[in-house]
Every structure is written in structure tokens, then in C-alpha cells.
């Protein structure tokens, strides 16, 4: 495979959109994505994670690589990207996600809570529960935002 990051994201999204599983191909794409992880922009990362999760294909090496890369870049994620990222980790039960990423997503979501839609807040809270990462005090601002 000789795809660039955008082609990887678009290809995976296409497979996910039509719900077409191809495990061997996905493993090859995951390996390629890991080798090009620093070339992905935020949207490409999140779309690729979304596709793997939608197709129930864990891709642990890719998810770990995203986790390591995202630590320093979560401030660049918009509200939808924050929700989709944590949802992808939870959907494939990727319990090995770096706690700094989970805490960072929660912190960013709290900072951007006025821009989060209710379903995004619920997705973030659900994902944190699935990943056993709920800190009651930290999520209170998100609960408060839902109740408005």
C-alpha cells in the first residue's frame, strides 16, 4: 500500500460507510497508518479512528499511536473530534489509552462545553464510563451543561 494520510482516512471511511469488513486489509492499513502517523491532520486521525471503531476493528497499534500523538495536540480538536475520539476508544474497548489523553479530552470538553452539543457531551460521558475513567468532580461541568 502506498496511501498518504488523506487516502488512508478516506478509504477507511468508505469501508465503514458501507459497513464492509476486510480484516486483513484493515490490519495492513493500520500498520501503514502507524508508519505515517505524524503526517495525519486531526480530522484524518479522528476519521480513521471512527472508521476502525465503526467496523469493530480494534487496530491497537494505531490507537496507541494516536494516543501518544494526541497528548500534545488535543487543544486543536473541535468538539466533534473530541467526542468521536473518545467514542472510538470506548467502542473498541481500547482500555490501554493513555490516561493523559482521557484527562485531556475531558479537560478540553470542559473548556469547550458551551460549544458541545448535548449528544457530544453524552457520548463523552458514556465513553468515559465504558473506559472506567469517570472522575465525578471532573465531569460535573459537563453534567451541568446538559441540564441547562
Amino acid at each position: 500500500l502506498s496511501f498518504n494520510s488523506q487516502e488512508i482516512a478516506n478509504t477507511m471511511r468508505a469501508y465503514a460507510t458501507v459497513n464492509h469488513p476486510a480484516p486483513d486489509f484493515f490490519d495492513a492499513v493500520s500498520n501503514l497508518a502507524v508508519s505515517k502517523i505524524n503526517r495525519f491532520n486531526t480530522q484524518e486521525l479522528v476519521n480513521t479512528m471512527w472508521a476502525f471503531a465503526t467496523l469493530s476493528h480494534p487496530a491497537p497499534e494505531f490507537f496507541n499511536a494516536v494516543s501518544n500523538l494526541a497528548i500534545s495536540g488535543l487543544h486543536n480538536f473541535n468538539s466533534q473530534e473530541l467526542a468521536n475520539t473518545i467514542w472510538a476508544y470506548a467502542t473498541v474497548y481500547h482500555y490501554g489509552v493513555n490516561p493523559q489523553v482521557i484527562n485531556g479530552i475531558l479537560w478540553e470538553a470542559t473548556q469547550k462545553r458551551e460549544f458541545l452539543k448535548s449528544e457530544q457531551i453524552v457520548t463523552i460521558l458514556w465513553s468515559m464510563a465504558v473506559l472506567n475513567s469517570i472522575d465525578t468532580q471532573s465531569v460535573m461541568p459537563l453534567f451541568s451543561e446538559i441540564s441547562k
Side-chain angles (χ1 to χ4, degrees):
L1 296 172
S2 62
F3 296 168
N4 64 34
S5 58
Q6 183 179 5
E7 292 166 334
I8 291 169
N10 290 348
T11 299
M12 289 305 301
R13 185 167 178 83
Y15 274 87
T17 300
V18 297
N19 195 27
H20 182 76
D24 292 336
F25 178 68
F26 297 160
D27 288 341
V29 170
S30 174
N31 291 333
L32 179 63
V34 169
S35 73
K36 297 183 178 206
I37 197 73
N38 291 318
R39 297 183 187 140
F40 279 75
N41 65 35
T42 303
Q43 183 179 5
E44 292 164 350
L45 283 173
V46 175
N47 285 351
T48 304
M49 291 180 74
W50 173 86
F52 279 126
T54 298
L55 293 160
S56 300
H57 191 85
E61 295 82 12
F62 177 70
F63 277 67
N64 285 337
V66 171
S67 179
N68 293 332
L69 184 66
I71 291 170
S72 63
L74 286 172
H75 62 279
N76 294 319
F77 284 46
N78 66 35
S79 56
Q80 185 67 52
E81 291 165 343
L82 291 169
N84 285 359
T85 298
I86 196 71
W87 174 86
Y89 282 114
T91 300
V92 297
Y93 302 104
H94 189 84
Y95 296 108
V97 61
N98 187 320
Q100 290 179 329
V101 171
I102 293 174
N103 293 336
I105 288 173
L106 181 56
W107 191 86
E108 288 295 331
T110 301
Q111 298 305 306
K112 298 173 182 177
R113 66 185 174 268
E114 296 116 27
F115 305 105
L116 289 167
K117 297 177 182 173
S118 294
E119 64 265 15
Q120 293 166 336
I121 294 173
V122 170
T123 296
I124 291 168
L125 294 171
W126 173 85
S127 300
M128 298 246 170
V130 168
L131 294 169
N132 296 316
S133 297
I134 293 273
D135 171 4
T136 308
Q137 290 299 325
S138 298
V139 298
M140 288 312 292
L142 296 177
F143 279 112
S144 297
E145 192 65 31
I146 291 175
S147 64
K148 285 185 179 178

